[in-house]
Amino acid sequence: IMDARSGVGASGLMQVMPATAKWTANKIGLTGFTADQINDRDTNITIGTAYLKLALDDLGGSMAMAAAAYNAGPGRPRSWRGQSGAPVLDAAIWAENVPFNETRDYVKKVLSNTTNYAALLTGQPQSLKARLGQIGPRDAALPEPNKDLP
């Protein structure tokens, strides 16, 4: 359903917010992007997957945090990972502690489905724990996150 629209205004198959779509289109060099293109299947998938990759890169490759960022915005999982000295947690435990019900459920479903699809595609059993890794405070030695990521 390409013209799907959420109650908060996210559109299309990838459920992208208009401002996020515009930002991502600019970031990936999609020239001439207009808001009505968000319901075009190919454009929507291009923007949604590009944004997810930008979030994944920004959050150190953490699939759990990227899924949370896709649903609730990147600032929230950044703060949920804790400050310096906070414990390092298995990503599955971190996901169980996401304070928003919708985002917590979303992250768990995305991560579970990712593992199931990987098993189907590779023909090999997958370990959710191994795929997800751990989440803890940001390593201060790493560059600052992309603050303009919406």
Side-chain angles (χ1 to χ4, degrees):
I1 302 173
M2 287 314 305
D3 61 351
R5 190 167 188 91
S6 76
V8 295
S11 294
L13 180 66
M14 299 288 294
Q15 289 292 281
V16 182
M17 294 295 287
T20 300
K22 183 177 178 183
W23 180 88
T24 304
N26 287 334
K27 197 75 166 174
I28 64 173
L30 189 60
T31 57
F33 175 77
T34 59
D36 60 314
Q37 290 177 291
I38 198 64
N39 290 326
D40 172 73
R41 182 193 68 209
D42 293 339
T43 303
N44 187 271
I45 292 170
T46 297
I47 288 173
T49 56
Y51 179 75
L52 183 57
K53 176 66 170 132
L54 289 164
L56 186 65
D57 290 348
D58 185 67
L59 295 164
S62 170
M63 288 188 278
M65 289 183 63
Y70 197 92
N71 184 262
R76 291 189 172 111
R78 283 184 193 132
S79 68
W80 297 335
R81 79 184 320 176
Q83 302 303 314
S84 179
V88 174
L89 302 172
D90 285 340
I93 294 170
W94 179 87
E96 286 292 342
N97 288 287
V98 168
F100 298 165
N101 290 337
E102 178 186 330
T103 302
R104 182 175 52 253
D105 291 343
Y106 178 84
V107 169
K108 289 172 19 180
K109 287 175 184 172
V110 166
L111 300 179
S112 174
N113 286 331
T114 299
T115 303
N116 290 334
Y117 282 119
L120 289 171
L121 290 171
T122 65
Q124 300 293 316
Q126 301 288 308
S127 164
L128 180 61
K129 183 177 181 176
R131 286 178 62 82
L132 299 181
Q134 297 183 315
I135 297 174
R138 187 182 72 76
D139 183 345
L142 295 176
E144 279 294 316
N146 188 354
K147 295 288 187 182
D148 70 333
L149 186 71

